[in-house]
Structure formats: structure tokens, C-alpha cells
Amino acid sequence: MDIGLDLDIVKTEEDVMKMLDNLLEKRDSEWWDKFYTRDESSVPFFKNIPDENLVSYVERGILNGGDALDIG
């Protein structure tokens, strides 16, 4: 798949973000629907486990118990 990327220009974090935007904007809604409806995946955010950063925040006392609103 040609994503129109000149590999010689990817030198900064901004270049990487532009590359990802260029790649992802070419995905149609059917592709994204299939991506998010997969039952099994090796992508970490599809696993039924707490986010490791969130666990770290709780363990270090940065976050305490309370109410949360999850807007997905």
C-alpha cells in the first residue's frame, strides 16, 4: 500500500505524527468497523486488563477512589 511517504523526511516526532495521520485518513468506515469489532487481537487495548499507566497512578497515590465518567 502506497501511503505517499518519503522515508527520508521522517526525522522528528511531528514527521511521525504526519505520517500516521496520512496513513489513518485513508481508512474507510468499513475498515474501522472491522478493526474495533474483532474478538481476538494482539493489540494491547483489546485485552481485558487495566491500563498499566492507570494501575501505576493508583499504586503511587496519584489517583484515589471515587466516581468516574467514561466517555467512549
Side-chain angles (χ1 to χ4, degrees):
M1 175 168 116
D2 180 21
I3 59 171
L5 175 65
D6 180 354
L7 294 177
D8 293 333
I9 63 167
V10 177
K11 296 179 181 176
T12 66
E13 183 177 331
E14 184 177 339
D15 292 338
V16 172
M17 299 308 284
K18 286 179 184 177
M19 177 192 67
L20 290 173
D21 285 345
N22 186 32
L23 175 64
L24 295 176
E25 74 182 9
K26 296 180 188 294
R27 305 293 185 181
D28 61 14
S29 61
E30 182 180 344
W31 187 92
W32 287 108
D33 288 344
K34 288 179 183 176
F35 179 81
Y36 283 110
T37 57
R38 286 187 278 180
D39 292 330
E40 299 293 325
S41 177
S42 61
V43 180
F45 59 81
F46 284 115
K47 294 183 179 178
N48 191 19
I49 59 173
D51 177 79
E52 62 189 32
N53 292 314
L54 183 58
V55 171
S56 170
Y57 298 156
V58 171
E59 289 175 345
R60 294 185 299 172
I62 295 172
L63 296 175
N64 299 314
D67 296 330
L69 174 62
D70 180 8
I71 301 175

